[in-house]
Amino acid sequence: SGANAGVTPMLRRLLPAFRVLLAQRYSRCRTATEAFLQRSVPGSSRRWDKADTKGVSASKSQDFAAWYTQVITRAEMIEYHDISGCYILRPWSFFIWEEISRWLDAGIKELGVENAYFPCFVSQEMLEAEQTHLEGFAPEVAWVTKSGTSQLQKPIALRPTSETIMYPYFAKWIRSHRDLPLKINQWANIVRWEFRQPTPFLRSREFLWQEGHTAHRSESEALQMVEAALELSA
């Protein structure tokens, strides 16, 4: 079952707390900026009070992309990496991720789901075994083709999702009905070589997530698990 479904309603519940945290961060940025301007530019504090832009010079209505970039970088949430589409989560934004994941992880465990971790690498054979599943991700799969200066005999993919990595081992571990239900959750990073315009927090080539995968004795039991997971995230 997709335990990561419906996270948006959960974020709405946490949004007020995040707003408080961001306001505190902006206050620190403003204090530091005011101190710098007062030292460097005489009379600048009066101009700051008039504008009250908290150090953001771009207009949200006129240039949203520039405004968004300034907000997340000057709030010290994101740093741009030298590889396009990859970003550094600074302590402030990673703290928010930790709070979300800590809350969600506790709820997932209450459903009897156990955490595990699977490798980020997947063989070409394993990935292509689920051809219909791969179709949606094929353009975004990143492949490792070299080790040092040597070409690999077979390319190895970085996981765009984990079904093709996990399910062969589900088949190995589930030998009879006595092994059911099997409830596994994974907190991991995902790589999708997204070529559409990458945007921090919205669309990036590597991102953190959780994914729940379960197997059950019956369809009704599986549906109960799905409903419980959706209720947790609602």
Side-chain angles (χ1 to χ4, degrees), residues 114-131:
E114 297 178 300
N115 282 332
Y117 185 81
F118 290 74
C120 66
F121 299 110
V122 53
S123 67
Q124 185 175 13
E125 293 83 1
M126 190 176 286
L127 189 64
E128 293 179 347
E130 297 284 346
Q131 193 64 41

Side-chain angles (χ1 to χ4, degrees), residues 2-14:
N4 57 329
V7 174
T8 299
M10 179 195 68
L11 293 179
R12 291 197 188 101
R13 292 206 309 241
L14 296 174

